[in-house]
Amino acid sequence: MNVTVNGKSYDISDGTSLLTMLYNLDIDPGRVAVEHNLEIVSKTNFDNTVLKENDTLEIITFVGGGL
Amino acid sequence: MNDILKVAGREIRSRLWVGTGKYKDFAETKTAIEASGAHVVTVAVRRINITDRSKEGLFDYIDPKKYIILPNTAGCYTAKDAIRTANLARAAGVSDMVKLEVIGDEKTLLPDNEALLEAAKILVKDGFIVLPYTNDDPIMAKKLQDAGCHAIMPLAAPIGSGLGIRNPYNIRIILESASVPVIVDAGVGTASDAAIAMELGCDAILMNTAIACAKDPIKMAYAMKMAVDAGRLAYLAGRIPKKLYASASSPLEGMIE
């Protein structure tokens, strides 16, 4: 099935959890925040959030910036 | 000397706060921040790079346990985007503070005060520690304070302009009526600008470009630290009034005849 992550399309297997998706993308879950279909997912729910066809994820982190 | 800055009851160990943008690399960012002595470090919120995971992250160099991380909403042009960004930043789990920016225009990067106030009210209600970047406008500062903001961050001059304190009189009026810390945010160009802001009585200064884009960012970071400390001390010491005519500092008695 297809999901969109930060604007990019990914083909993943059915039943993939958000946590597995992060690991597959080589992302440390401790250092990011995630919006799942525009709703923020708390870190404690990364594991029990199961992705569905056409879901959209925004994964953010902190970068250098001032103003 | 007992001169501790507190924002929302939290002790802050420096009056110089710094940004993390525009440096050559993370190593320079880290060294400059250490030289600045800053305890508060502002960071931007952006999409993680998912296609190239080999790159190191900011927090590989800046330990979030060592600094107070102040996420900002830089680049947001609407209240909605700023609120969304602030919520994502908080969800990342390193800070419940936000340097709230709602920018009105790409060319000037001046704040959209109407949208800023709207976003500030919502974020305060949602339990954020809100530090809004605003014009050097005493009325706006008052409105933001009344909305429950935990500090006011008036600009000295436009972001990255290095023009210094353009309107010291407005900053003084803001200081007079503020019951929360006033932190100059943006526009400082060099050490004397920082000293002037602190001599006016500002509680702290946040800067990025003046340090990161100096020829030698590490030296400038240290210069800014000393300027902020010197300016604060001069403010506490109380300067002499300005006078038109001379006033001799040597005794008039005992002159040779």
Side-chain angles (χ1 to χ4, degrees):
Chain A
M1 65 175 188
N2 183 74
V3 295
T4 303
V5 185
N6 289 0
K8 197 168 177 287
S9 188
Y10 281 84
D11 189 28
I12 60 168
S13 28
D14 287 8
T16 303
S17 76
L18 174 55
L19 189 65
T20 307
M21 186 71 201
L22 292 175
Y23 286 140
N24 289 345
L25 291 166
D26 194 24
I27 290 169
D28 175 357
R31 290 199 177 175
V32 295
V34 181
E35 260 184 8
H36 177 218
N37 300 331
L38 298 177
E39 290 285 328
I40 288 176
V41 186
S42 77
K43 281 183 201 286
T44 49
N45 286 331
F46 281 3
D47 197 19
N48 57 35
T49 299
V50 177
L51 302 181
K52 295 186 190 66
E53 173 82 356
N54 296 326
D55 275 1
T56 303
L57 295 176
E58 282 289 332
I59 308 173
I60 67 89
T61 191
F62 294 118
V63 301
L67 307 124
Chain B
M1 188 177 61
N2 190 21
D3 179 36
I4 308 283
L5 171 62
K6 280 189 183 176
V7 174
R10 298 171 190 188
E11 282 195 9
I12 313 261
R13 294 195 304 270
S14 76
R15 290 182 184 270
L16 174 57
W17 300 10
V18 295
T20 50
K22 295 184 173 174
Y23 286 99
K24 187 179 68 185
D25 51 34
F26 285 136
E28 188 184 70
T29 313
K30 179 184 159 72
T31 316
I33 291 173
E34 282 169 0
S36 78
H39 186 206
V40 178
V41 171
T42 187
V43 297
V45 176
R46 293 292 180 270
R47 279 176 166 176
I48 196 166
N49 184 345
I50 45 175
T51 47
D52 180 7
R53 299 295 309 128
S54 63
K55 283 186 183 164
E56 290 174 302
L58 182 66
F59 287 169
D60 292 318
Y61 288 81
I62 308 298
D63 181 357
K65 289 189 189 76
K66 211 170 127 191
Y67 297 97
I68 293 175
I69 302 296
L70 176 60
N72 62 57
T73 62
C76 292
Y77 284 82
T78 62
K80 192 180 157 209
D81 280 352
I83 292 164
R84 187 179 173 204
T85 302
N87 275 289
L88 276 165
R90 184 167 66 175
V94 296
S95 182
D96 60 353
M97 298 169 86
V98 61
K99 184 162 95 72
L100 181 62
E101 297 180 36
V102 185
I103 303 299
D105 167 69
E106 269 181 44
K107 192 174 174 187
T108 61
L109 297 178
L110 290 169
D112 176 338
N113 282 330
E114 201 179 355
L116 179 72
L117 186 60
E118 183 192 337
K121 283 178 180 168
I122 291 167
L123 291 171
V124 165
K125 203 162 149 251
D126 285 348
F128 283 85
I129 307 297
V130 181
L131 294 78
Y133 158 71
T134 178
N135 290 85
D136 52 0
D137 172 358
I139 307 302
M140 196 59 209
K142 184 76 172 47
K143 285 185 180 179
L144 289 163
Q145 183 177 300
D146 291 347
C149 290
H150 303 81
I152 307 295
M153 303 188 79
L155 53 80
I159 292 171
S161 69
L163 289 170
I165 310 280
R166 291 295 79 204
N167 197 336
Y169 305 102
N170 269 19
I171 300 284
R172 275 175 60 182
I173 297 171
I174 291 172
L175 283 163
E176 262 184 32
S177 53
S179 59
V180 295
V182 174
I183 300 152
V184 162
D185 185 8
V188 164
T190 188
S192 52
D193 297 335
I196 287 167
M198 296 309 291
E199 285 168 15
L200 285 171
C202 293
D203 295 279
I205 306 180
L206 190 148
M207 63 179 82
N208 190 153
T209 307
I211 295 174
C213 296
K215 273 186 194 160
D216 185 335
I218 316 301
K219 274 201 183 82
M220 187 57 90
Y222 191 53
M224 289 299 189
K225 174 190 158 52
M226 291 195 289
V228 167
D229 288 347
R232 178 67 187 174
L233 266 178
Y235 168 72
L236 295 173
R239 61 153 299 148
I240 58 159
K242 291 181 183 179
K243 283 177 289 199
L244 189 57
Y245 292 103
S247 161
S249 20
S250 305
L252 296 173
E253 284 167 21
M255 293 289 294
I256 50 167
E257 286 176 21

